[in-house]
Amino acid sequence: MADRHNRDIDRQRAPLPEPLPAPTVDAHAHMEIITDTAPDSPEVAEVIAEAKSVNVDRIMQVGYSAEQSAWCVAAAEKWNTSVLAAVALHPNEAPVVENLEADWAVIAQLAEHPRVRAIGETGLDYFRTPPELRARQQESFKWHIELAKKTNKALVIHDRDSHDDVLSVLLEVGAPEKVIFHCFSGDVAMAKTCIERGYVLSFAGTLTFKNAPALREAVKLVPLDQLLVETDSPFLAPMPHRGALNTPAQIANIVRAMALERDADLGELATALGNNAERLFGSFAS
């Protein structure tokens, strides 16, 4: 994943949007890819400050490898009223790391940190993983599910081209109390299944893409208390800036699109999304 990430930091950032009328949370970001710097760097401080300037005052910094998950924890320690951490091996990392058990041990240790409030992003990704490596990916997903249950922390799921198997594994192993589908990519039928099971659906900038009518239909169906918003920055910058480097500040554009689709008051929606994040992850200030 590193080469892909390094290409992304070379892109120009999307311009700052108009501020939201109420504060809210970016439920999924990768600030280290935006900045390519240490957690306490001025560049990270700038990303956080820009987000706050548009009323995105809290950020969930999400892990995808053992080393980068440690970065997430350090960021949550440094920015201790603005940032919380999630730790995990990304499903694309699990089949290719040299020693899966050793990396699991690092993740399990990091998961005990008080600023770590979720296990993720884990899950399945059949877009990049050939069939012969999928069994190991599924094994890692199951391990992370058990870790989420053991630590009583939210499970953040990455699901790409693997909807049926993700849902099946959750039933097989038994889902944690709090399950979040990061960057939800399913259709209305999948959204209904997730809603019935009590899962939380998090929508990203893909909601605004012209080729994503199914997402716009799905977001209308989700009960307010099962809804989150995220950037997945630096990826998936919302329209009209698709292709630019995404940052947590772009939550303002995504919430506006979400409010339009749901015919909701913008400030009330922003507040509810922030409240949902704090219910799932706990207080950012403690």
Side-chain angles (χ1 to χ4, degrees):
M1 295 178 70
D3 289 343
R4 170 169 160 252
H5 291 165
N6 288 337
R7 285 197 298 273
D8 280 307
I9 64 174
D10 292 333
R11 292 184 290 170
Q12 185 174 0
R13 288 189 196 181
L16 290 179
E18 289 295 314
L20 291 167
T24 198
V25 175
D26 183 352
H28 193 114
H30 303 286
M31 291 189 290
E32 80 295 343
I33 310 175
I34 300 169
T35 64
D36 197 28
T37 58
D40 59 352
S41 70
E43 290 82 1
V44 173
E46 180 184 21
V47 168
I48 294 170
E50 285 184 348
K52 287 183 177 180
S53 76
V54 298
N55 239 345
V56 181
D57 63 350
R58 289 151 290 170
I59 300 167
M60 173 57 76
Q61 168 66 28
V62 179
Y64 58 78
S65 71
E67 179 182 10
Q68 185 266 351
S69 290
W71 193 105
C72 296
V73 174
E77 287 180 333
K78 169 63 179 176
W79 310 104
N80 60 11
T81 61
S82 303
V83 178
L84 290 175
V87 298
L89 297 184
H90 190 284
N92 288 333
E93 294 286 322
V96 299
V97 294
E98 184 174 345
N99 188 330
L100 185 58
E101 289 75 14
D103 281 29
W104 282 348
V106 173
I107 297 299
Q109 183 177 17
L110 291 171
E112 297 297 330
H113 193 283
R115 300 290 296 170
V116 172
R117 306 292 177 80
I119 307 303
E121 58 187 287
T122 182
L124 302 176
D125 187 326
Y126 292 169
F127 180 75
R128 288 191 173 84
T129 303
E132 62 271 18
L133 294 179
R134 291 176 185 174
R136 197 170 191 224
Q137 192 177 83
Q138 292 167 5
E139 179 188 11
S140 184
F141 182 28
K142 293 175 182 179
W143 181 89
H144 283 85
I145 292 172
E146 295 298 344
L147 180 63
K149 291 191 287 190
K150 178 183 176 182
T151 58
N152 193 31
K153 295 179 179 180
L155 182 75
V156 178
I157 293 177
H158 171 105
D159 164 30
R160 188 170 187 186
D161 292 356
S162 55
H163 303 326
D164 290 345
D165 281 2
V166 166
L167 292 171
S168 295
V169 168
L170 287 169
L171 284 182
E172 175 191 345
V173 179
E177 180 182 350
K178 296 176 284 189
V179 173
I180 300 162
F181 274 78
H182 132 69
C183 193
F184 180 73
S185 59
D187 57 12
V188 167
M190 183 178 176
K192 289 179 177 178
T193 298
C194 291
I195 291 164
E196 290 170 0
R197 296 186 186 179
Y199 304 155
V200 174
L201 305 186
S202 183
F203 289 82
T206 45
L207 180 70
T208 70
F209 293 177
K210 292 180 180 179
N211 63 349
L215 292 182
R216 288 185 284 278
E217 290 303 309
V219 79
K220 298 173 185 177
L221 303 176
V222 183
L224 186 56
D225 63 352
Q226 289 177 255
L227 188 64
L228 287 176
V229 65
E230 63 172 87
T231 57
D232 196 22
S233 51
F235 315 112
L236 306 177
M239 296 293 290
H241 309 298
R242 186 175 182 179
L245 187 74
N246 202 6
T247 68
Q250 294 302 314
I251 283 291
N253 279 330
I254 304 170
V255 175
R256 283 189 169 87
M258 188 181 289
L260 182 64
E261 295 299 330
R262 292 174 64 91
D263 192 23
D265 177 83
L266 182 60
E268 291 177 0
L269 179 59
T271 297
L273 293 166
N275 290 342
N276 289 346
E278 296 235 351
R279 188 185 75 248
L280 291 160
F281 303 133
S283 172
F284 281 69
S286 63

